[in-house]
């Protein structure tokens, strides 16, 4: 006897297509929800670090990394006495909470041989104000190189893959400074910022889309990339797509769908007045 053969009916094919559509839609929606959660995590982390730095300042009377007598509390990373400055603070990684003193000028900076921007994270951790352990020194290639993972991590990672946070003091940007080609005018001292890891540099790479940056800015600040406490770069050769415009009227370029933005969080914390 010849076996009976038949294909799928239109009803059966329709059911299969509906199921496939639901699966694809569910996966897409799930990815969108995960991404939205990761972007929200940027704000949560930024607030955690800003509050941690302020609490550190209130407790110790100085900013982390900039503290003149940090070794008195946590010990000398260089192996000397607590009242003796680290011999090579820029290259001496710490074991546990051991650290090096800053210069106490009121700015978390990276001038000279004291790179306070990395000791800051180390001292915040030693004070129990943030989680993680940090080496306290630059990465292997330059004084600004930031590492987010592993035993040599020197800056905190973020919810966005291969991106993290940095802190630093870069002065007041205005029409008299050459940085106006990349930065909108503002006070960039003691600034927290977020971006993708960049080899031989701090994390100033593009990590989120303009729409995501706008979403953060609009919820927390004023949705303007050139004004308020949340900023991004002006459009220029290596970062042309995040922002449209070079004046205070500039807006986020929300028509661009790829990652094109990093963020500055100005006025997140201050030195004691």
């Amino acid at each position: 006897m010849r076996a009976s053969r038949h294909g799928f009916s239109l009803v059966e094919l329709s059911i299969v297509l509906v199921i496939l559509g639901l699966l694809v839609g569910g996966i897409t929606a799930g990815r969108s929800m995960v991404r939205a959660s990761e972007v929200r995590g940027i704000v949560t982390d930024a607030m955690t670090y800003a509050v941690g730095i302020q609490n550190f300042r209130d407790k110790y009377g100085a900013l982390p990394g900039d503290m003149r007598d940090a070794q008195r509390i946590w010990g000398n990373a260089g192996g000397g006495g607590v009242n003796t400055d680290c011999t090579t603070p820029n290259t001496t990684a710490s074991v546990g909470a051991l650290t090096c003193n800053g210069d106490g000028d009121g700015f978390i900076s990276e001038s000279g041989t004291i790179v306070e921007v990395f000791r800051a994270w180390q001292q915040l951790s030693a004070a129990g104000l943030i989680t993680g352990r940090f080496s306290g020194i630059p990465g292997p290639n330059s004084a600004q190189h930031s590492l987010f993972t592993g035993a040599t991590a020197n800056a905190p990672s973020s919810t966005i893959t291969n991106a993290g946070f940095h802190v630093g003091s870069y002065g007041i940007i205005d029409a008299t400074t050459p940085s106006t080609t990349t930065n909108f005018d503002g006070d960039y001292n003691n600034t927290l910022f977020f971006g993708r890891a960049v080899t031989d540099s701090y994390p100033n790479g593009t990590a989120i889309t303009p729409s995501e940056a706008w979403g953060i800015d609009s919820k927390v600040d004023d949705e303007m990339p050139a004004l308020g406490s949340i900023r991004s770069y002006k459009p220029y050769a290596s970062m042309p797509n995040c922002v449209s415009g070079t004046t205070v009227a500039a807006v986020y370029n929300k028509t661009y769908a790829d990652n094109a933005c990093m963020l500055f969080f100005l006025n997140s914390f201050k030195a004691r007045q």
Side-chain angles (χ1 to χ4, degrees):
M1 295 179 62
R2 186 172 59 187
S4 176
R5 297 179 180 178
H6 65 277
F8 289 108
S9 69
L10 289 176
V11 173
E12 289 170 328
L13 286 173
S14 298
I15 292 172
V16 171
L17 291 174
V18 168
I19 292 172
L20 288 174
L22 290 173
L23 288 173
V24 172
I27 292 171
T28 302
R31 287 176 178 171
S32 297
M33 291 176 64
V34 169
R35 180 68 178 186
S37 177
E38 291 173 344
V39 172
R40 288 194 300 271
I42 297 169
V43 178
T44 301
D45 288 343
M47 292 178 65
T48 296
Y49 299 138
V51 170
I53 293 171
Q54 294 285 40
N55 287 341
F56 186 102
R57 183 207 65 182
D58 293 342
K59 181 176 183 179
Y60 298 105
L63 293 173
D66 185 54
M67 188 176 180
R68 287 183 185 275
D69 58 348
Q71 295 169 186
R72 179 178 56 82
I73 299 173
W74 294 293
N76 188 328
V82 297
N83 296 317
T84 303
D85 286 339
C86 294
T87 304
T88 55
N90 198 25
T91 58
T92 305
S94 299
V95 178
L98 299 178
T99 192
C100 295
N101 294 330
D103 60 16
D105 66 354
F107 301 106
I108 302 176
S109 60
E110 49 189 300
S111 60
T113 59
I114 303 176
V115 186
E116 299 173 347
V117 296
F118 298 120
R119 295 293 177 188
W121 300 117
Q122 181 184 77
Q123 292 169 19
L124 281 170
S125 173
L129 295 172
I130 63 172
T131 59
R133 287 293 181 183
F134 305 97
S135 68
I137 64 172
N141 298 318
S142 79
Q144 294 181 320
H145 192 71
S146 297
L147 301 172
F148 299 136
T149 59
T152 57
N154 58 18
S157 61
S158 76
T159 50
I160 302 294
T161 301
N162 199 35
F165 290 86
H166 190 71
V167 64
S169 296
Y170 303 98
I172 295 175
I173 305 298
D174 57 30
T176 65
T177 62
S179 293
T180 52
T181 58
T182 59
N183 292 80
F184 293 104
D185 290 0
D187 186 349
Y188 290 81
N189 285 313
N190 291 330
T191 290
L192 179 71
F193 58 95
F194 159 82
R196 176 178 51 80
V198 176
T199 301
D200 296 337
S201 186
Y202 47 83
N204 61 347
T206 59
I208 55 177
T209 69
S211 290
E212 291 167 341
W214 173 85
I216 291 173
D217 201 336
S218 63
K219 288 180 174 65
V220 180
D221 193 29
D222 59 4
E223 74 180 41
M224 302 296 287
L227 298 171
S229 60
I230 296 181
R231 310 282 186 92
S232 192
Y233 280 122
K234 287 181 179 180
Y236 68 101
S238 61
M239 195 173 292
N241 298 309
C242 180
V243 172
S244 295
T246 59
T247 69
V248 292
V251 296
Y252 290 101
N253 182 15
K254 291 187 286 182
T255 60
Y256 190 77
D258 293 336
N259 292 335
C261 300
M262 57 80 64
L263 293 175
F264 296 96
F265 294 85
L266 276 62
N267 305 313
S268 294
F269 56 92
K270 296 181 182 298
R272 183 177 294 278
Q273 300 298 318

